[in-house]
């Protein structure tokens, strides 16, 4: 069985096939730390699964807004035009919490908070918490992971 383990303390994501490590990539989680509350800008913990995979076949550095391709390809020039955008690039794996009261339903619902695993500009650091709550990855890494992981894949996020 395939599964993902995200370790916030080490800022890494590990892809597992049974007990065997297949990939391990650096990530960037929330600048605001760990937390479940809607509007907190924090990364939730606990058991999740990949509810949806968005962007299959899109070009590397393709830009998404509201889970839809904009037709743009990220560049330094585009970043200058839109300095306040939270760049979601290349692929999206939308997470759904599985633990009622921790990361599912009410004011702690990861899916309603739009918590994703997604690509980010290569200029953004990995290994440092900098996101608005999502799990950011290098574009090449997120594409590789996206192609390997099935929809419905279990994801454990640990502090």
């Amino acid at each position: 069985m395939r599964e993902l383990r995200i370790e916030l303390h080490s800022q890494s994501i590990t892809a597992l096939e049974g007990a065997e490590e297949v990939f391990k990539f650096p990530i960037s989680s929330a600048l605001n730390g760990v937390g479940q509350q809607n509007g907190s800008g924090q990364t939730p913990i606990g058991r999740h699964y990949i509810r949806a995979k968005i962007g299959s076949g899109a070009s590397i550095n393709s830009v998404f807004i509201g889970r839809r391709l904009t037709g743009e390809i990220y560049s330094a020039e585009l970043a200058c035009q839109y300095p306040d955008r939270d760049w979601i690039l290349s692929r999206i794996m939308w997470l759904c919490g599985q633990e009622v009261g921790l990361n599912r339903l009410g004011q702690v619902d990861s899916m309603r908070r739009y918590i994703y695993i997604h690509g980010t500009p290569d200029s953004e650091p990995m290994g440092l918490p900098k996101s608005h709550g999502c799990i950011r990855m290098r574009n090449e890494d997120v594409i590789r992971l996206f192609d390997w992981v099935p929809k419905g894949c279990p994801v454990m996020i640990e502090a």
Side-chain angles (χ1 to χ4, degrees):
M1 181 168 131
R2 292 183 174 184
E3 62 182 293
L4 300 177
R5 183 171 299 129
I6 298 169
E7 295 176 341
L8 301 179
H9 69 276
S10 64
Q11 292 291 291
S12 65
I13 187 168
T14 305
L16 300 163
E17 180 95 48
E20 183 180 336
E21 184 178 302
V22 179
F23 309 115
K24 187 168 190 166
F25 299 114
I27 62 153
S28 177
S29 63
L31 177 64
N32 291 343
V34 175
Q36 316 299 98
Q37 279 300 116
N38 188 34
S40 68
Q42 296 175 311
T43 299
I45 59 169
R47 289 187 333 251
H48 291 77
Y49 69 93
I50 296 175
R51 177 189 178 270
K53 293 174 56 177
I54 302 165
S56 183
S59 298
I60 193 167
N61 291 313
S62 293
V63 177
F64 292 85
I65 295 179
R67 295 162 306 287
R68 300 215 182 332
L69 287 166
T70 65
E72 301 163 311
I73 300 295
Y74 179 84
S75 67
E77 295 77 24
L78 190 63
C80 286
Q81 282 182 293
Y82 302 100
D84 296 327
R85 268 197 200 170
D86 179 19
W87 297 100
I88 298 173
L89 307 179
S90 300
R91 301 289 185 278
I92 297 170
M93 290 168 270
W94 191 356
L95 300 180
C96 183
Q98 293 186 290
E99 298 175 77
V100 173
L102 178 67
N103 54 34
R104 184 164 171 78
L105 302 177
Q107 291 300 306
V108 296
D109 195 284
S110 294
M111 188 183 79
R112 286 191 211 145
R113 290 182 58 206
Y114 303 104
I115 300 296
Y116 312 139
I117 301 169
H118 66 81
T120 198
D122 289 334
S123 57
E124 289 295 313
M126 289 294 113
L128 297 172
K130 298 284 279 183
S131 83
H132 298 112
C134 289
I135 303 299
R136 292 179 178 175
M137 295 181 68
R138 293 265 170 258
N139 292 292
E140 288 183 5
D141 295 347
V142 80
I143 291 170
R144 190 170 177 195
L145 187 64
F146 182 96
D147 291 344
W148 179 84
V149 77
K151 183 178 171 188
C153 181
V155 179
M156 176 57 117
I157 304 176
E158 301 169 341

